[in-house]
Amino acid sequence: MDAKLLEILVCPVCKGPLVFDKTKQELICKADRLAYPIRDGIPVMLEGEARELDPTEEVNG
């Protein structure tokens, strides 16, 4: 994930910052506990495509 792109992207729900999870290829919003997938190198920033994080799942970053 390009660092400049990560600086520009925000959560579409709360407009908060995102954390890149390299192992899962997801952009994570800690505030909303949503994980947005990255498919073929393209972030899918749609609320309907995001998965909710499990309450026990830790967010690194």
Side-chain angles (χ1 to χ4, degrees):
M1 171 65 49
D2 182 44
K4 287 189 178 190
L5 181 59
L6 187 55
E7 288 177 20
I8 295 170
L9 290 175
V10 295
C11 174
V13 176
C14 71
K15 310 299 185 241
L18 299 168
V19 176
F20 177 51
D21 185 334
K22 188 175 183 177
T23 58
K24 293 182 181 177
Q25 288 295 297
E26 295 176 322
L27 292 172
I28 298 172
C29 175
K30 291 182 181 181
D32 294 317
R33 299 202 48 84
L34 293 173
Y36 297 93
I38 299 174
R39 297 187 185 128
D40 299 322
I42 301 169
V44 181
M45 303 304 297
L46 300 170
E47 185 179 0
E49 292 290 322
R51 73 175 180 88
E52 291 186 26
L53 297 177
D54 187 89
T56 60
E57 193 171 352
E58 273 194 45
V59 179
N60 297 324

